[in-house]
mmCIF file with all atom_site columns, all heavy atoms in Angstrom:
data_model
loop_
_atom_site.group_PDB
_atom_site.id
_atom_site.type_symbol
_atom_site.label_atom_id
_atom_site.label_alt_id
_atom_site.label_comp_id
_atom_site.label_asym_id
_atom_site.label_entity_id
_atom_site.label_seq_id
_atom_site.pdbx_PDB_ins_code
_atom_site.Cartn_x
_atom_site.Cartn_y
_atom_site.Cartn_z
_atom_site.occupancy
_atom_site.B_iso_or_equiv
_atom_site.pdbx_formal_charge
_atom_site.auth_seq_id
_atom_site.auth_comp_id
_atom_site.auth_asym_id
_atom_site.auth_atom_id
_atom_site.pdbx_PDB_model_num
ATOM 1  N N   . ASP A 1 440 ? 60.274 105.942 67.349 1.00 77.00 ? 440 ASP A N   1
ATOM 2  C CA  . ASP A 1 440 ? 61.503 106.173 66.442 1.00 77.00 ? 440 ASP A CA  1
ATOM 3  C C   . ASP A 1 440 ? 62.457 105.058 66.683 1.00 77.00 ? 440 ASP A C   1
ATOM 4  O O   . ASP A 1 440 ? 63.072 104.864 67.674 1.00 77.00 ? 440 ASP A O   1
ATOM 5  C CB  . ASP A 1 440 ? 62.109 107.523 66.825 1.00 77.00 ? 440 ASP A CB  1
ATOM 6  C CG  . ASP A 1 440 ? 63.381 107.777 65.978 1.00 77.00 ? 440 ASP A CG  1
ATOM 7  O OD1 . ASP A 1 440 ? 63.588 107.080 64.961 1.00 77.00 ? 440 ASP A OD1 1
ATOM 8  O OD2 . ASP A 1 440 ? 64.047 108.747 66.257 1.00 77.00 ? 440 ASP A OD2 1
ATOM 9  N N   . SER A 1 441 ? 62.621 104.230 65.631 1.00 72.00 ? 441 SER A N   1
ATOM 10 C CA  . SER A 1 441 ? 63.502 103.032 65.762 1.00 72.00 ? 441 SER A CA  1
ATOM 11 C C   . SER A 1 441 ? 64.942 103.353 65.538 1.00 72.00 ? 441 SER A C   1
ATOM 12 O O   . SER A 1 441 ? 65.840 102.554 65.779 1.00 72.00 ? 441 SER A O   1
ATOM 13 C CB  . SER A 1 441 ? 63.075 101.949 64.760 1.00 72.00 ? 441 SER A CB  1
ATOM 14 O OG  . SER A 1 441 ? 63.239 102.556 63.408 1.00 72.00 ? 441 SER A OG  1
ATOM 15 N N   . SER A 1 442 ? 65.220 104.641 65.082 1.00 72.00 ? 442 SER A N   1
ATOM 16 C CA  . SER A 1 442 ? 66.610 104.975 64.832 1.00 72.00 ? 442 SER A CA  1
ATOM 17 C C   . SER A 1 442 ? 67.260 105.947 65.918 1.00 72.00 ? 442 SER A C   1
ATOM 18 O O   . SER A 1 442 ? 68.110 106.665 65.672 1.00 72.00 ? 442 SER A O   1
ATOM 19 C CB  . SER A 1 442 ? 66.704 105.696 63.438 1.00 72.00 ? 442 SER A CB  1
ATOM 20 O OG  . SER A 1 442 ? 65.931 106.830 63.397 1.00 72.00 ? 442 SER A OG  1
ATOM 21 N N   . HIS A 1 443 ? 66.699 105.782 67.056 1.00 83.00 ? 443 HIS A N   1
ATOM 22 C CA  . HIS A 1 443 ? 67.171 106.604 68.172 1.00 83.00 ? 443 HIS A CA  1
ATOM 23 C C   . HIS A 1 443 ? 68.656 106.317 68.470 1.00 83.00 ? 443 HIS A C   1
ATOM 24 O O   . HIS A 1 443 ? 69.222 105.230 68.382 1.00 83.00 ? 443 HIS A O   1
ATOM 25 C CB  . HIS A 1 443 ? 66.436 106.195 69.505 1.00 83.00 ? 443 HIS A CB  1
ATOM 26 C CG  . HIS A 1 443 ? 66.279 107.319 70.478 1.00 83.00 ? 443 HIS A CG  1
ATOM 27 N ND1 . HIS A 1 443 ? 67.432 107.936 71.013 1.00 83.00 ? 443 HIS A ND1 1
ATOM 28 C CD2 . HIS A 1 443 ? 65.272 107.893 71.062 1.00 83.00 ? 443 HIS A CD2 1
ATOM 29 C CE1 . HIS A 1 443 ? 67.070 108.861 71.887 1.00 83.00 ? 443 HIS A CE1 1
ATOM 30 N NE2 . HIS A 1 443 ? 65.718 108.951 71.875 1.00 83.00 ? 443 HIS A NE2 1
ATOM 31 N N   . ASN A 1 444 ? 69.414 107.365 68.673 1.00 90.00 ? 444 ASN A N   1
ATOM 32 C CA  . ASN A 1 444 ? 70.876 107.303 68.958 1.00 90.00 ? 444 ASN A CA  1
ATOM 33 C C   . ASN A 1 444 ? 71.016 106.960 70.447 1.00 90.00 ? 444 ASN A C   1
ATOM 34 O O   . ASN A 1 444 ? 70.270 107.293 71.367 1.00 90.00 ? 444 ASN A O   1
ATOM 35 C CB  . ASN A 1 444 ? 71.616 108.601 68.639 1.00 90.00 ? 444 ASN A CB  1
ATOM 36 C CG  . ASN A 1 444 ? 71.688 108.768 67.106 1.00 90.00 ? 444 ASN A CG  1
ATOM 37 O OD1 . ASN A 1 444 ? 71.812 107.773 66.359 1.00 90.00 ? 444 ASN A OD1 1
ATOM 38 N ND2 . ASN A 1 444 ? 71.492 109.980 66.612 1.00 90.00 ? 444 ASN A ND2 1
ATOM 39 N N   . PHE A 1 445 ? 72.207 106.378 70.750 1.00 94.00 ? 445 PHE A N   1
ATOM 40 C CA  . PHE A 1 445 ? 72.573 105.979 72.115 1.00 94.00 ? 445 PHE A CA  1
ATOM 41 C C   . PHE A 1 445 ? 72.876 107.317 72.863 1.00 94.00 ? 445 PHE A C   1
ATOM 42 O O   . PHE A 1 445 ? 73.591 108.164 72.352 1.00 94.00 ? 445 PHE A O   1
ATOM 43 C CB  . PHE A 1 445 ? 73.719 105.054 72.123 1.00 94.00 ? 445 PHE A CB  1
ATOM 44 C CG  . PHE A 1 445 ? 74.253 104.726 73.458 1.00 94.00 ? 445 PHE A CG  1
ATOM 45 C CD1 . PHE A 1 445 ? 73.505 104.065 74.379 1.00 94.00 ? 445 PHE A CD1 1
ATOM 46 C CD2 . PHE A 1 445 ? 75.552 105.165 73.875 1.00 94.00 ? 445 PHE A CD2 1
ATOM 47 C CE1 . PHE A 1 445 ? 73.898 103.720 75.605 1.00 94.00 ? 445 PHE A CE1 1
ATOM 48 C CE2 . PHE A 1 445 ? 75.973 104.853 75.141 1.00 94.00 ? 445 PHE A CE2 1
ATOM 49 C CZ  . PHE A 1 445 ? 75.200 104.172 76.025 1.00 94.00 ? 445 PHE A CZ  1
ATOM 50 N N   . ILE A 1 446 ? 72.405 107.406 74.156 1.00 93.00 ? 446 ILE A N   1
ATOM 51 C CA  . ILE A 1 446 ? 72.647 108.489 74.971 1.00 93.00 ? 446 ILE A CA  1
ATOM 52 C C   . ILE A 1 446 ? 73.657 108.088 76.132 1.00 93.00 ? 446 ILE A C   1
ATOM 53 O O   . ILE A 1 446 ? 73.200 107.275 76.976 1.00 93.00 ? 446 ILE A O   1
ATOM 54 C CB  . ILE A 1 446 ? 71.408 109.173 75.603 1.00 93.00 ? 446 ILE A CB  1
ATOM 55 C CG1 . ILE A 1 446 ? 70.364 109.511 74.572 1.00 93.00 ? 446 ILE A CG1 1
ATOM 56 C CG2 . ILE A 1 446 ? 71.737 110.339 76.424 1.00 93.00 ? 446 ILE A CG2 1
ATOM 57 C CD1 . ILE A 1 446 ? 68.990 109.814 75.011 1.00 93.00 ? 446 ILE A CD1 1
ATOM 58 N N   . PRO A 1 447 ? 74.946 108.469 76.065 1.00 93.00 ? 447 PRO A N   1
ATOM 59 C CA  . PRO A 1 447 ? 75.825 107.985 77.091 1.00 93.00 ? 447 PRO A CA  1
ATOM 60 C C   . PRO A 1 447 ? 75.605 108.718 78.475 1.00 93.00 ? 447 PRO A C   1
ATOM 61 O O   . PRO A 1 447 ? 75.074 109.682 78.515 1.00 93.00 ? 447 PRO A O   1
ATOM 62 C CB  . PRO A 1 447 ? 77.181 108.455 76.620 1.00 93.00 ? 447 PRO A CB  1
ATOM 63 C CG  . PRO A 1 447 ? 76.925 109.613 75.696 1.00 93.00 ? 447 PRO A CG  1
ATOM 64 C CD  . PRO A 1 447 ? 75.519 109.373 75.105 1.00 93.00 ? 447 PRO A CD  1
ATOM 65 N N   . LEU A 1 448 ? 75.929 107.941 79.502 1.00 92.00 ? 448 LEU A N   1
ATOM 66 C CA  . LEU A 1 448 ? 75.832 108.494 80.890 1.00 92.00 ? 448 LEU A CA  1
ATOM 67 C C   . LEU A 1 448 ? 77.063 109.312 81.169 1.00 92.00 ? 448 LEU A C   1
ATOM 68 O O   . LEU A 1 448 ? 77.985 108.918 81.833 1.00 92.00 ? 448 LEU A O   1
ATOM 69 C CB  . LEU A 1 448 ? 75.756 107.323 81.886 1.00 92.00 ? 448 LEU A CB  1
ATOM 70 C CG  . LEU A 1 448 ? 74.416 106.554 81.948 1.00 92.00 ? 448 LEU A CG  1
ATOM 71 C CD1 . LEU A 1 448 ? 74.487 105.491 83.024 1.00 92.00 ? 448 LEU A CD1 1
ATOM 72 C CD2 . LEU A 1 448 ? 73.221 107.485 82.304 1.00 92.00 ? 448 LEU A CD2 1
ATOM 73 N N   . SER A 1 449 ? 77.118 110.480 80.565 1.00 88.00 ? 449 SER A N   1
ATOM 74 C CA  . SER A 1 449 ? 78.247 111.372 80.721 1.00 88.00 ? 449 SER A CA  1
ATOM 75 C C   . SER A 1 449 ? 78.078 112.452 81.620 1.00 88.00 ? 449 SER A C   1
ATOM 76 O O   . SER A 1 449 ? 76.922 112.633 82.226 1.00 88.00 ? 449 SER A O   1
ATOM 77 C CB  . SER A 1 449 ? 78.589 112.070 79.312 1.00 88.00 ? 449 SER A CB  1
ATOM 78 O OG  . SER A 1 449 ? 77.610 112.952 78.964 1.00 88.00 ? 449 SER A OG  1
ATOM 79 N N   . LYS A 1 450 ? 79.085 113.280 81.970 1.00 85.00 ? 450 LYS A N   1
ATOM 80 C CA  . LYS A 1 450 ? 78.913 114.340 82.901 1.00 85.00 ? 450 LYS A CA  1
ATOM 81 C C   . LYS A 1 450 ? 78.004 115.446 82.465 1.00 85.00 ? 450 LYS A C   1
ATOM 82 O O   . LYS A 1 450 ? 77.522 116.304 83.215 1.00 85.00 ? 450 LYS A O   1
ATOM 83 C CB  . LYS A 1 450 ? 80.311 114.927 83.245 1.00 85.00 ? 450 LYS A CB  1
ATOM 84 C CG  . LYS A 1 450 ? 81.015 115.615 82.054 1.00 85.00 ? 450 LYS A CG  1
ATOM 85 C CD  . LYS A 1 450 ? 82.338 116.141 82.367 1.00 85.00 ? 450 LYS A CD  1
ATOM 86 C CE  . LYS A 1 450 ? 82.992 116.759 81.074 1.00 85.00 ? 450 LYS A CE  1
ATOM 87 N NZ  . LYS A 1 450 ? 84.390 117.228 81.458 1.00 85.00 ? 450 LYS A NZ  1
#
Side-chain angles (χ1 to χ4, degrees):
D440 181 8
S441 60
S442 61
H443 207 301
N444 290 322
F445 177 66
I446 305 169
L448 289 177
S449 70
K450 64 182 180 181

